[in-house]
Amino acid sequence: MKFTLSWLKDHLETDAEVAAVADAMTMAGLEVEDVHDPIAALAPFTVARIVSAEQHPNADRLRVCQVDTVDGPKEIVCGAPNARAGLTTIYAPIGAYVPGLDVTLVEKPVRGVVSHGMLCSAAELQLAGDSDGILELADDLTVGTPAAGVFGAEPVIDFEVTPNRPDWLGVAGIARDLAAAGLGQLKTPSVQPVPGAFPSPISVRIEAPAMCPVFAGRLIRGVKNGPSPEWLQRRLTAIGLRSINRLVDVTNLVAYDRCRPLHVYDAAKLVGNEIVVRGGQVARDTGEHEHLIALDGKTYAVDPAMSVIADAGGERPIGLGGVMGGESTGCSEETVDVFVESAWFDPLVTAQTGRTLTINSDAQYRFARGVDPAFVVPGLELATRLILDLCGGEPSGIVVAGQAPASPAAFAFDPARVGSLTGLALDDDRIAEILTRLGFEVARGTPWTVTPPSWRRDVEGPADLVEEVARIEGYDALPATPLPDLGAPSRGVLNPRQARVRLARRALAAMGYAEAVTWSFTRQSTAALFGGGDDALRVENPIAADLDCMRPSALPNLIQAAARNAARGHADAALFEIGPIYLDDSPTGQRTVITGLIAPRAARHWGAAPEDALFGLKGDLMALLEALGAPTASLQLVQGQNRDWWHPGRSARLQLGPKNIMAEFGALHPRVLKALDADAPMLAFEIVLDAVPEPRGARSKARGPARLANLMPLTRDFAFVVENGKAVGDLVRAIAGADKALIAGVSVFDVYRGAGVPEGMKSVALEVTLQPVEATLTEAEIEALSAKVVAAAGKVGAALRG
């Protein structure tokens, strides 16, 4: 919203300069974005008169002018075609900054002739007007007159209007707040009714009162349209509006002066004698929406949710209510009779229409925020008076259809709340004075009864009034009270679960996983893929249509995140998330899970294919469980019992007995990935943190002594033949338990099936690491330990390969 200082002073009796006005606006809660003072920009420029203009000796298109300036006679080189003797124009001295050229003038020769200044065009001074040549001013102007005075330049304030304050979209509303803040005396003239000379031949009918509760209008016949007077053109041009003609300029002036959007129809172009307000229409046979060619020259398809102004018995659309008029009834300089519209359109309907059609007109901007419903008829009277003064004519009586929305209701207010909420020590008289100046009606009693004005529909309760009082009194007047000294802040202490979550997050990040933070909601059809089914926890008021139930697993969100990364060229993903899942609505139905997912997409390479990523995922899972203090040595690996979103032959679960399932891991089922529009393969694990027992002594902060071996370890390799269906993990655990004092580790480095191995069997090669403690092992001791290893393997059905 922009306005000039002189415009403000039409409503506010004040001697304040533009800087003081901007400061007062800021303190009153109006966010000033910019103060443009063209007077300062035009300060170096003055009126000059060309005495003579001779052809430049070295250039056909240049003239050497002798100019009478404020600095005395000057020789200036000018390339404008209209430079001639006797012309009054604007002179820029050496050292002046020319805003239109973004240069500072220096004294230098132009084709061999030194120019001692510059004669300016409108564009070079960033003024509206023809820029084909230098400015041509009235001959009666005195040489040396400041350019700012010639062009009526004045400061312009630009500020941001918050959505709850549509009254600030009129200069009168700004003046009201500044007067309440003590910057001056409000002097907005009251609107005087203009009596009608005859009944209006055009009637109004409202078929959609929810979209337009009230519509007023009147006919003015015999007007003479044309260019607006200079004062009106300057006022609109100063705030960035283009002057069109008197009728249109009047509507723009009233919109910015009183926040009252209006529209004028050329009465000769109306079909019939009735204007109808209705919703948009759709053809029953074809389903095609009706169309409107608007004043911007574009054609818009209108739907039933939009407010339409129509004539011809309601058949022909001639405007979008509260947004923009139609081209078919637009006014021109040939217009003689006009019908002036002043209505109140529903803010939500108007806002949605603007968003749907991508129209952001001045009228739509104001109606969408809610203009004053009580100013419908006064706004029409004000526009009538301006049209009669500028265009002449004879007005009809006013026709009004519908009824304006009710004004805000009164409510009780205790003035003591001002002090309790803000700390301001104001007496009742000061509080009442502020509210009255802002337009509120105050009935003092016990408690007070305060009625908001019709233009303040945002005020709904006592706290809003307290804010108004604090805003006008000045936020700088709020007392500065230090917070009470509560002593040194307590150090944060994490509970065991929080500590394990932080530990897991750091461990997974160190393994190369990137943390994802996704919604705790998902689509019901997606939840059904992960055990949600019809029993999934539905959300009564979802934030989006595809987030309508609580997630039973964190896997679908990670799968979709990996798929989005792949669609954007980052297919090789490794993600994890730590968060809640929701199995049912019981107190124990919410679980905390640690979920990891990888989508192995190795770069194309001529060499051998990489080893199966599933074993790498299992290694990450076991390392994470060990970091969390889980009893990994006691875990049971069970295959074939995972839920159906896992690949049946490439997944397993880790458990401490059948009732304590700690984690599931493996490849995700291709059926599930296809349903989520993700490409296989994807591997994942999901740990139920609640099922991971805390390690013994986890709460003790004391560390025991470090037990570091002082002897070198040694390794021995073994190859055992075992049935194909036998889990290698069982063999590893058996061998590790053969001698817990000396065997430090067992790892598998080869699995072989083929020649030399019986059908249905496999050869498993293991490396056993031995760690002497007290003395170097002798050959006999190593042989004895090897015998224990073979014996332990035999107990689980493995035989040493010959």
Side-chain angles (χ1 to χ4, degrees):
M1 173 67 184
K2 295 180 180 179
F3 64 93
T4 62
L5 186 60
S6 65
W7 197 342
L8 176 69
K9 290 184 177 181
D10 285 349
H11 297 273
L12 186 69
E13 187 70 43
T14 180
D15 296 327
E17 296 300 326
V18 64
V21 171
D23 289 343
M25 290 175 63
T26 300
M27 295 313 299
L30 290 84
E31 182 182 350
V32 176
E33 291 190 335
D34 181 51
V35 177
H36 176 61
D37 190 356
I39 297 176
L42 294 175
F45 304 94
T46 55
V47 172
R49 186 171 290 109
I50 300 176
V51 177
S52 66
E54 304 294 337
Q55 183 67 43
H56 193 291
N58 302 319
D60 294 338
R61 298 186 178 182
L62 298 180
R63 288 178 173 81
V64 179
C65 302
Q66 304 301 322
V67 184
D68 187 10
T69 73
V70 68
D71 301 321
K74 295 287 183 182
E75 185 173 72
I76 298 175
V77 178
C78 180
N82 62 333
R84 62 185 184 273
L87 177 66
T88 303
T89 186
I90 294 296
Y91 155 73
I94 297 298
Y97 172 75
V98 182
L101 300 178
D102 192 24
V103 297
T104 300
L105 298 181
V106 295
E107 191 174 276
K108 64 178 182 180
V110 180
R111 293 290 186 95
V113 178
V114 176
S115 182
H116 300 277
M118 179 179 179
L119 302 179
C120 302
S121 68
E124 288 160 349
L125 298 182
Q126 293 185 332
L127 299 173
D130 189 2
S131 297
D132 290 340
I134 57 177
L135 287 161
E136 297 191 21
L137 306 178
D139 294 336
D140 58 354
L141 289 174
T142 304
V143 172
T145 302
V150 173
F151 301 115
E154 58 177 320
V156 177
I157 297 177
D158 185 5
F159 72 101
E160 185 67 28
V161 179
T162 55
N164 66 317
R165 292 301 304 271
D167 56 307
W168 283 346
L169 290 169
V171 180
I174 303 165
R176 184 189 302 113
D177 276 25
L178 292 177
L183 193 68
Q185 189 68 31
L186 188 66
K187 63 171 187 176
T188 299
S190 59
V191 177
Q192 300 299 322
V194 178
F198 58 93
S200 173
I202 300 174
S203 61
V204 178
R205 174 163 52 92
I206 298 177
E207 293 183 355
M211 296 179 175
C212 177
V214 61
F215 189 109
R218 79 188 322 165
L219 180 72
I220 305 178
R221 63 190 182 192
V223 301
K224 183 175 179 56
N225 201 8
S228 295
E230 186 179 356
W231 70 267
L232 181 52
Q233 292 189 38
R234 284 186 176 181
R235 176 154 291 184
L236 297 179
T237 303
I239 62 172
L241 295 180
R242 180 172 61 91
S243 175
I244 299 174
N245 56 52
R246 295 173 192 171
L247 292 171
V248 176
D249 288 355
V250 164
T251 64
N252 287 331
L253 178 69
V254 176
Y256 277 80
D257 189 71
R258 302 294 184 96
C259 189
R260 168 30 58 186
L262 304 162
H263 186 66
V264 287
Y265 302 90
D266 188 328
K269 299 177 181 178
L270 293 174
V271 178
N273 294 321
E274 183 182 42
I275 287 179
V276 179
V277 185
R278 58 171 173 79
Q281 294 180 347
V282 179
R284 293 184 179 179
D285 52 349
T286 64
E288 183 179 357
H289 292 230
E290 66 179 338
H291 290 76
L292 170 73
I293 302 176
L295 285 172
D296 60 1
K298 298 179 181 179
T299 301
Y300 297 98
V302 183
D303 63 49
M306 300 177 185
S307 175
V308 172
I309 313 300
D311 64 0
E315 291 300 320
R316 185 181 72 150
I318 59 173
L320 291 168
V323 178
M324 187 174 290
E327 188 178 68
S328 61
T329 56
C331 294
S332 65
E333 293 194 4
E334 290 74 32
T335 299
V336 176
D337 300 335
V338 295
F339 185 80
V340 186
E341 165 202 301
S342 179
W344 194 89
F345 296 97
D346 180 80
L348 295 180
V349 173
T350 309
Q352 187 58 51
T353 301
R355 282 193 293 267
T356 302
L357 302 179
T358 64
I359 299 176
N360 188 20
S361 63
D362 285 339
Q364 187 268 348
Y365 187 78
R366 284 162 172 76
F367 279 122
R369 282 155 176 76
V371 300
D372 183 4
F375 201 70
V376 171
V377 173
L380 180 58
E381 298 279 19
L382 178 61
T384 301
R385 173 51 59 195
L386 288 169
I387 292 174
L388 295 180
D389 291 344
L390 298 179
C391 306
E394 186 179 27
S396 73
I398 294 177
V399 292
V400 180
Q403 186 174 2
S407 296
F411 54 84
F413 175 64
D414 182 1
R417 294 202 65 185
V418 173
S420 63
L421 291 181
T422 67
L424 291 170
L426 302 179
D427 57 36
D428 290 357
D429 291 340
R430 175 57 179 159
I431 295 172
E433 178 189 8
I434 291 174
L435 294 178
T436 302
R437 285 190 173 188
L438 290 174
F440 295 87
E441 294 181 7
V442 179
R444 300 173 69 165
T446 308
W448 292 6
T449 300
V450 179
T451 305
S454 58
W455 60 84
R456 291 302 306 274
R457 307 179 75 84
D458 60 304
V459 176
E460 299 176 345
D464 296 326
L465 296 180
V466 172
E467 181 182 4
E468 291 300 300
V469 172
R471 179 174 66 86
I472 297 303
E473 183 66 18
Y475 293 124
D476 56 341
L478 294 174
T481 304
L483 294 173
D485 185 5
L486 301 178
S490 59
R491 298 180 60 186
V493 178
L494 299 180
N495 62 36
R497 176 186 290 262
Q498 293 170 330
R500 298 177 85 178
V501 166
R502 183 171 68 172
L503 182 63
R505 182 175 286 113
R506 291 179 175 178
L508 286 167
M511 295 177 193
Y513 290 75
E515 184 173 11
V517 179
T518 67
W519 294 107
S520 294
F521 318 107
T522 189
R523 187 193 298 268
Q524 188 179 18
S525 59
T526 302
L529 296 172
F530 291 83
D534 296 333
D535 298 330
L537 295 179
R538 297 293 301 274
V539 180
E540 292 185 359
N541 186 23
I543 60 175
D546 57 347
L547 297 173
D548 57 352
C549 72
M550 307 302 291
R551 64 182 184 185
S553 169
L555 284 171
N557 292 0
L558 288 186
I559 293 171
Q560 292 171 324
R564 286 193 297 271
N565 277 273
R568 289 159 176 78
H570 302 281
D572 190 14
L575 306 174
F576 79 92
E577 181 174 9
I578 304 176
I581 62 172
Y582 305 87
L583 304 180
D584 52 55
D585 57 358
S586 67
T588 59
Q590 179 177 328
R591 306 285 183 85
T592 300
V593 296
I594 305 172
T595 306
L597 179 141
I598 60 174
R601 302 286 191 280
R604 299 173 66 184
H605 194 269
W606 60 268
E611 61 178 310
D612 194 340
L614 181 56
F615 292 106
L617 178 82
K618 180 187 175 184
D620 292 342
L621 172 60
M622 297 303 294
L624 176 59
L625 288 172
E626 190 169 348
L628 293 175
T632 53
S634 304
L635 289 177
Q636 301 170 352
L637 187 144
V638 179
Q639 291 182 271
Q641 297 186 19
N642 277 27
R643 289 168 286 188
D644 58 3
W645 55 87
W646 298 99
H647 192 295
R650 292 173 56 78
S651 61
R653 63 170 51 168
L654 296 174
Q655 62 186 37
L656 287 172
K659 295 184 178 181
N660 188 0
I661 301 171
M662 192 177 299
E664 290 185 326
F665 71 95
L668 292 162
H669 201 292
R671 169 183 55 82
V672 173
L673 296 180
K674 183 178 179 180
L676 297 178
D677 198 21
D679 294 331
M682 284 192 182
L683 314 173
F685 63 79
E686 192 161 66
I687 302 172
V688 180
L689 188 59
D690 310 74
V692 181
E694 292 186 23
R696 296 178 181 177
R699 299 181 182 276
S700 175
K701 295 183 179 179
R703 292 186 176 182
R707 300 185 180 277
L708 304 177
N710 56 358
L711 298 174
M712 288 292 292
L714 66 152
T715 60
R716 285 293 183 269
D717 295 344
F718 298 86
F720 294 99
V721 177
V722 65
E723 294 179 359
N724 271 333
K726 190 69 175 179
V728 176
D730 295 341
L731 176 62
V732 171
R733 279 192 295 272
I735 293 174
D739 190 327
K740 295 181 179 181
L742 290 178
I743 297 177
V746 181
S747 62
V748 179
F749 65 87
D750 185 49
V751 177
Y752 171 73
R753 299 176 181 87
V757 177
E759 187 73 20
M761 308 292 282
K762 59 185 175 183
S763 172
V764 180
L766 305 100
E767 181 183 72
V768 179
T769 301
L770 308 178
Q771 178 60 64
V773 178
E774 296 179 354
T776 302
L777 297 177
T778 64
E779 192 66 30
E781 290 172 331
I782 295 174
E783 290 298 329
L785 185 58
S786 298
K788 289 182 179 180
V789 168
V790 173
K795 293 180 179 179
V796 294
L800 190 65
R801 183 178 175 186

